[in-house]
Amino acid sequence: MIYFDHNATSPLLPQARQAWVEANKQYIGNPSSPHRLGQRADAALTAAREQLARVIGCDAQDLVWTSGATESSNLALHHFAQTLASDAEVWVSAIEHPCVRAPIRHYFSKRHRLIPVGHAGVVELGWLAAELRRRRAGLVAVMAANNETGVVQPWREALALCREHGVPFFCDAVQWVGKLPARGLGDCDFVSGTAHKFGGPKGVGFLKCPAKGRVAPLLLGGPQEDGRRAGTENVAGILSMMTALEVREHELAAAAAEDGGSTNENGASFHSSSSSVSPAAVRLRLAWREQFERGLLAALPGAGIVGASQPRLWNTVSAFMPVADCQQRWVVKLDKLGFAVSTGSACSSGREVPSQVLSAMGYAPAEAGRVLRFSSGWETPEADWDALLAAVKRVHRGESRRSAP
Ligand code: PLP
């Protein structure tokens, strides 16, 4: 099976598997136990915390280990529900993942506003700037890159606007981390990430949150994580996650070094389609993806690329396909040919519900229903993109014959 659903989850890297096995052998103690085996596990967690702090650029004390990004965003939003004034509003981009949208609806049902996005899928900074001048939000949440379209969001600019107005800023960086350099994300007040999107194990992630000014815990029942998240830490999962992240960051740094080393600090250069700035390894992958997109557009009448005019993650293609009676047919037919793809975010896959992301971008349900998502990984070779294009053409020929009178 050829896997084109890395935005849903990515396979465990061999190095991360090895780190998990080793950690289970070496760190058998509970990090909260006072004996030496417990202390050894605790020291491993401290080292991992320092490692992540170096990668994203924050204080090690600002990091809380969680079970993944859904828990991280729930923890952050629960904290704001407990601590914001009763009339304070939360402003959130209209294209956030359900794990951000749902807690906001839950805690701030009548006290949230959606930050609009344009037709190309980018958050409207002009709206945010103008509204922040008018009144003060209690929290602004803008994701780093969208999971369905791959469109990169101006989170640095949104953060700068929030800083100017003294408003806390939360960034769901799940799709960014491991694909683009994570450095600088630590500047945001709150950041969520999850291991299984970059080659780490499922069920482990982190929340960056200010150590000063207590975070109101969601899980109660233990002193772990400095009282911010009760429950025994997943030591092996955390060490495995950090191994995967180091592998990805190393790839990104090596790619930048090949190109003269000037781009590591600047995430923008990594997703640009301009060949003069993208580091070689990323540029190569962009070229394979663009070749696939060109082939798709040439072969399939009515096909289009969502967010084509915008910088997008180098691994993601969100494409309008020719009309089929049910989009799920594409997924099933490609599956039969040996390709795993998605109709949208993993959470809405399997249900023919129009994507909220696409409707926020102004697409009608009929158009949104034509979208398929293809998302590659670091290890996906050019040949897999070529094979995917051939398979898509084959399914299209079959569908055209079916619908011919
Ligand atoms: N945020 C984004 C942008 C995602 O794509 C996902 C997963 O699909 C999540 C959050 C949730 O992550 P987790 O599976 O770790 O709960």
Side-chain angles (χ1 to χ4, degrees):
M1 196 81 175
I2 298 185
Y3 191 66
F4 271 97
D5 204 10
H6 285 256
N7 286 10
T9 194
S10 59
L12 191 64
L13 273 169
Q15 297 93 321
R17 183 182 299 115
Q18 187 59 28
W20 190 87
V21 170
E22 280 303 313
N24 273 303
K25 278 196 228 147
Q26 271 192 45
Y27 305 111
I28 57 166
N30 185 322
S32 298
S33 298
H35 48 65
R36 272 180 297 158
L37 291 181
Q39 291 313 294
R40 197 187 293 168
D42 192 44
L45 281 189
T46 301
R49 216 183 296 276
E50 281 161 4
Q51 195 183 353
L52 180 56
R54 273 193 305 276
V55 172
I56 70 169
C58 69
D59 201 282
Q61 293 317 309
D62 296 343
L63 293 165
V64 175
W65 305 120
T66 65
S67 65
T70 300
E71 184 190 327
S72 302
S73 55
N74 273 269
L75 172 55
L77 293 162
H78 172 262
H79 166 73
F80 282 99
Q82 300 293 308
T83 53
L84 282 181
S86 59
D87 58 349
E89 277 183 354
V90 169
W91 300 357
V92 55
S93 97
I95 53 167
E96 292 299 304
H97 188 272
C99 76
V100 174
R101 282 202 314 259
I104 287 184
R105 274 201 310 273
H106 178 73
Y107 294 121
F108 301 94
S109 59
K110 297 205 168 62
R111 287 192 288 139
H112 71 274
R113 298 173 78 193
L114 294 182
I115 308 170
V117 297
H119 200 53
V122 183
V123 161
E124 287 187 2
L125 281 176
W127 183 97
L128 184 59
E131 289 303 310
L132 282 172
R133 275 196 297 274
R134 258 194 282 275
R135 60 176 138 151
R136 196 171 173 279
L139 169 71
V140 165
V142 175
M143 70 199 321
N146 186 264
N147 46 304
E148 293 187 35
T149 63
V151 173
V152 170
Q153 300 302 316
W155 59 269
R156 291 170 200 270
E157 292 80 355
L159 167 64
L161 284 170
C162 288
R163 282 276 172 279
E164 209 181 291
H165 294 272
V167 173
F169 182 74
F170 169 50
C171 185
D172 170 346
V174 162
Q175 296 292 345
W176 178 288
V177 176
K179 299 187 187 100
L180 298 171
R183 180 122 200 116
L185 281 167
D187 293 344
C188 305
D189 302 292
F190 288 74
V191 182
S192 60
T194 190
H196 74 103
K197 306 288 184 180
F198 54 80
K202 293 171 187 45
V204 57
F206 64 87
L207 178 70
K208 186 260 165 176
C209 51
K212 291 188 212 83
R214 278 213 85 54
V215 165
L218 182 60
L219 301 184
L220 305 172
Q224 292 89 349
E225 299 299 296
D226 214 7
R228 295 172 292 185
R229 196 264 188 190
T232 304
E233 292 92 343
N234 177 358
V235 179
I238 291 162
L239 299 189
S240 172
M241 167 168 73
M242 288 315 302
T243 299
L245 185 55
E246 282 293 332
V247 171
R248 295 314 185 205
E249 284 285 323
H250 183 76
E251 264 151 349
L252 286 162
E258 272 174 58
D259 267 32
S262 60
T263 46
N264 200 19
E265 288 291 307
N266 179 8
S269 60
F270 279 83
H271 52 73
S272 167
S273 55
S274 155
S275 58
S276 63
V277 288
S278 298
V282 174
R283 194 160 60 227
L284 197 62
R285 285 166 179 80
L286 269 171
W288 299 342
R289 185 196 67 179
E290 281 166 12
Q291 191 173 300
F292 169 79
E293 291 181 349
R294 276 195 302 277
L296 187 94
L297 296 177
L300 275 60
I305 307 296
V306 180
S309 61
Q310 292 305 318
R312 287 173 288 137
L313 294 173
W314 50 264
N315 77 320
T316 309
V317 178
S318 173
F320 293 109
M321 305 301 278
V323 187
D325 43 359
C326 164
Q327 209 52 9
Q328 212 53 33
R329 287 180 70 82
W330 274 101
V331 177
V332 172
K333 296 224 157 167
L334 285 170
D335 184 300
K336 279 193 184 136
L337 294 178
F339 295 84
V341 307
S342 166
T343 53
S345 76
C347 303
S348 57
S349 300
R351 288 185 293 140
E352 293 274 313
V353 184
S355 146
Q356 296 212 21
V357 171
L358 294 165
S359 51
M361 289 166 68
Y363 290 105
E367 285 174 295
R370 290 202 288 130
V371 168
L372 281 194
R373 181 186 68 187
F374 310 100
S375 51
S376 63
W378 276 99
E379 283 75 27
T380 306
E382 182 179 15
D384 284 3
W385 281 109
D386 295 343
L388 176 65
L389 180 59
V392 165
K393 287 182 186 171
R394 207 171 135 192
V395 174
H396 175 59
R397 277 195 300 273
E399 286 294 313
S400 310
R401 270 199 297 277
R402 252 183 107 252
S403 56

